Amino acid sequence: MADDDLPEPARLPLTPDELKRHNAEWQGSLVQAPPADSYVDPLTPVPLRPVSPLYQRPPLPGPHQPPLLGSPPFAPAPGGPPQDRLAIEPAVLNTAAGKTDEIHTAFTKPAAALEEPARAAVTAMVGWESAKSIRTAQLQWEKQAGTVAGWLAHIAESLRAAARDYGKTNTETEQSFKGVTRRSGLDGL
């Protein structure tokens, strides 16, 4: 392995915070992070069998009922701006992705540079039990640091995908309003 790369996992595990938020710590090894351009919640239950179109689910009791048609799907955050004032600029997301890439680079090179000193320590301690322990610790460090590096790359890619999606949505919305004109109360007089 080179001095400036870490073994990033093929599929990222969910973070402990995400598992805790869904009260699903026991599923830690069963679920994985979705692709960076996906908005799917990885902990959404998947039906095990197809549901018949004639079957109607009974209403859920209490606060678990789905929102009424036409109501906003999410309540605004307490103390935050009302939903209709929320504006996300793609440039801000792209800037955040660039900063995440900088953090990735700043983290990855020093983290990967520990491989050579660990190998030298193992070589110097051949025959000692400590040599095997140092090698095991170094491999675990590489695995964990690779997962962190993978998450940083995943976050940057997700931010860029979100910026593309917001930019595309903004452009499509502007295009859809180009043909709309404001009607005056004086029209037809």
Side-chain angles (χ1 to χ4, degrees):
M1 196 177 307
D3 273 345
D4 61 347
D5 66 350
L6 292 168
E8 291 184 14
R11 292 289 309 238
L12 292 170
L14 287 180
T15 62
D17 292 347
E18 187 71 17
L19 292 169
K20 188 171 186 174
R21 186 171 65 93
H22 288 282
N23 195 22
E25 289 92 353
W26 60 273
Q27 290 182 325
S29 63
L30 302 175
V31 290
Q32 297 173 333
D37 60 349
S38 172
Y39 297 106
V40 174
D41 183 352
L43 293 173
T44 301
V46 178
L48 298 177
R49 56 191 157 95
V51 178
S52 166
L54 301 175
Y55 173 74
Q56 293 183 359
R57 294 183 181 198
L60 299 172
H64 300 294
Q65 290 188 356
L68 297 174
L69 190 60
S71 66
F74 302 106
Q83 282 186 325
D84 58 314
R85 293 188 186 176
L86 179 64
I88 297 177
E89 292 295 325
V92 173
L93 294 172
N94 281 325
T95 302
K99 295 290 184 189
T100 304
D101 285 335
E102 290 174 16
I103 293 168
H104 179 272
T105 302
F107 172 78
T108 303
K109 288 186 179 189
L114 294 176
E115 180 181 11
E116 195 56 42
R119 191 176 294 139
V122 169
T123 304
M125 301 180 87
V126 170
W128 293 43
E129 288 186 32
S130 300
K132 185 176 179 182
S133 297
I134 291 171
R135 180 68 181 148
T136 303
Q138 189 253 336
L139 290 174
Q140 185 64 21
W141 164 255
E142 279 186 0
K143 182 180 176 185
Q144 291 176 347
T147 301
V148 170
W151 267 110
L152 289 169
H154 184 81
I155 290 167
E157 188 179 337
S158 295
L159 288 167
R160 285 190 183 89
R164 272 192 313 274
D165 290 350
Y166 277 113
K168 183 178 173 185
T169 301
N170 290 345
T171 302
E172 288 173 356
T173 303
E174 286 175 15
Q175 292 295 326
S176 69
F177 280 110
K178 287 217 179 203
V180 177
T181 58
R182 180 180 256 170
R183 298 192 73 181
S184 168
L186 301 175
D187 285 349
L189 292 178

